[in-house]
Amino acid sequence: MLPDGRMGAMMVTMDKAGRIVVPKEIRERLNFTPDSVLELRVDGESLVIVPERRRGRRIVEVDGWPVIEAVPGLSVTDADVQRWRDDGQR
């Protein structure tokens, strides 16, 4: 890490299958997890990797209770609620 908080360049090697490993320091800083969805883009001579950012869900209060705001056409599973609850406890 540079004194101004930016990360310095890191060198990685691509394997025969075209895979690279994102160093742990970068994964942790960008909150990449094994199931992270990443968009790859070519910009001139550079490869740009951008994490998918899901639109946040608002929590509203209904009769004094916190409720996740409904989004038309989007269903919520028990697993979603469990993950959101667990994320809030970290």
Side-chain angles (χ1 to χ4, degrees):
M1 179 112 30
L2 299 174
D4 63 3
R6 293 181 299 136
M7 295 182 88
M10 294 183 183
M11 302 299 289
V12 297
T13 303
M14 184 179 297
D15 70 11
K16 291 179 183 180
R19 296 176 294 224
I20 61 169
V21 173
V22 178
K24 182 178 181 182
E25 184 177 350
I26 293 173
R27 292 191 317 263
E28 287 177 346
R29 181 164 177 176
L30 298 176
N31 296 316
F32 287 0
T33 59
D35 60 342
S36 292
V37 176
L38 307 172
E39 175 185 326
L40 303 181
R41 253 188 315 227
V42 175
D43 183 7
E45 294 292 316
S46 298
L47 172 65
V48 179
I49 303 173
V50 180
E52 174 190 53
R53 297 288 183 212
R54 295 185 178 145
R55 194 175 119 220
R57 303 284 303 272
R58 286 186 350 150
I59 298 187
V60 295
E61 190 173 304
V62 175
D63 296 329
W65 291 92
V67 176
I68 299 169
E69 185 177 49
V71 175
L74 181 64
S75 62
V76 176
T77 66
D78 289 343
D80 293 329
V81 174
Q82 179 74 37
R83 187 178 67 252
W84 294 329
R85 190 194 78 196
D86 292 347
D87 287 347
Q89 293 177 357
R90 291 183 189 164

